[in-house]
Amino acid sequence: MALKRRHIKEDLLWLKWNIVLLVIVLGASLGLFFSASVYRDDMQNQEFNALSELDFVNGQIRDIENAEQVIINNIDTYNTMIANAVLEEEDRVSLLEEISVIRDRYQLFPIAVEIQEQDRVLLEYPFDVENPDEQISLRNSQVSVQIPLLHEEDLTRFLADFMSSGRMMVNNSCAIAQAPQLEEIPNQLSQRQIASCGFHWYTLRREPFIGF
């Protein structure tokens, strides 16, 4: 009995649908693999962006908390400065009125006051401060006062009240000299000495930021 030999074309025809199915499965598998890779990379990018944004938000929250703590620590000082008009323009009329009140309180001789032109210096921000909205300027005026004295206690009383007014007033000099000897009038007090005192009158101003 003789065996019939199969031709290769017949084998290919017989395997055709299996090969087609295999190609489809391989194509689908490769497609799923690449799709999964793209999806994974996209998810990793989204995760990285989300973590970066979270770090940025946490940084902003820390900055806000630090700023809030600074405000809490300094709010009393700030309110005191507001109450004493430290953050406003100089009120020279008010200063002269206060000197007049002190003079009347202690029955002092007439006091001569000179207030010079105001100087202005911008205060620098620390290097870690970015994009400030405002800047602070320090204003300084030289105030000179001449006080005729019956005795030294007149000067100490004046200085005690004058320096406790709440203003940022810094004394930089004070000298006492003998007053010119005038003919004394009976039953009338006359000055014995003259005190010459100099002060720095400081104020702060909030101004729009114009750049470094």
Side-chain angles (χ1 to χ4, degrees):
M1 181 176 177
L3 295 174
K4 185 180 178 180
R5 183 177 181 182
R6 294 173 58 93
H7 197 278
I8 189 170
K9 290 183 178 181
E10 295 177 353
D11 293 338
L12 290 176
L13 288 174
W14 183 73
L15 294 173
K16 178 179 69 174
W17 296 111
N18 292 329
I19 294 173
V20 170
L21 180 61
L22 178 62
V23 170
I24 293 173
V25 171
L26 289 176
S29 299
L30 290 174
L32 290 173
F33 174 77
F34 286 116
S35 297
S37 298
V38 171
Y39 179 77
R40 181 194 60 193
D41 293 341
D42 183 60
M43 289 296 101
Q44 289 178 344
N45 290 334
Q46 291 187 23
E47 181 183 10
F48 176 78
N49 293 335
L51 291 175
S52 299
E53 185 173 354
L54 180 62
D55 290 339
F56 176 74
V57 171
N58 287 334
Q60 287 188 319
I61 292 175
R62 285 193 297 270
D63 292 341
I64 293 174
E65 290 175 345
N66 292 335
E68 182 181 20
Q69 190 60 47
V70 170
I71 293 174
I72 293 173
N73 294 339
N74 296 279
I75 190 63
D76 292 337
T77 301
Y78 178 79
N79 289 335
T80 301
M81 294 171 68
I82 292 293
N84 293 324
V86 174
L87 295 177
E88 299 178 2
E89 285 284 2
E90 291 179 351
D91 190 345
R92 299 190 174 196
V93 174
S94 175
L95 178 67
L96 296 176
E97 290 177 348
E98 183 168 340
I99 292 176
S100 178
V101 169
I102 297 174
R103 174 180 175 270
D104 292 341
R105 180 182 301 145
Y106 298 115
Q107 299 180 351
L108 304 177
F109 293 107
I111 299 173
V113 183
E114 179 184 2
I115 305 176
Q116 299 180 7
E117 185 177 354
Q118 188 181 68
D119 294 328
R120 171 178 174 270
V121 177
L122 290 176
L123 302 182
E124 297 184 359
Y125 278 97
F127 292 108
D128 57 348
V129 177
E130 298 180 357
N131 304 320
D133 296 327
E134 295 179 324
Q135 58 189 1
I136 304 298
S137 64
L138 177 65
R139 311 296 182 93
N140 173 31
S141 295
Q142 298 283 342
V143 180
S144 299
V145 179
Q146 281 196 338
I147 313 170
L149 306 174
L150 182 62
H151 46 72
E152 289 84 353
E153 190 174 344
D154 288 342
L155 177 61
T156 58
R157 289 173 177 174
F158 173 83
L159 290 177
D161 287 13
F162 185 69
M163 298 297 292
S164 62
S165 63
R167 296 181 180 88
M168 292 174 61
M169 195 74 69
V170 179
N171 175 248
N172 63 332
S173 65
C174 218
I176 299 178
Q178 292 295 325
Q181 297 297 322
L182 301 176
E183 182 180 352
E184 294 189 5
I185 301 176
N187 301 323
Q188 182 173 339
L189 298 176
S190 61
Q191 61 188 36
R192 300 285 188 269
Q193 300 168 317
I194 296 180
S196 299
C197 297
F199 304 88
H200 290 288
W201 184 9
Y202 294 107
T203 54
L204 299 172
R205 288 295 306 281
R206 298 167 59 181
E207 304 179 11
F209 183 72
I210 58 176
F212 295 105

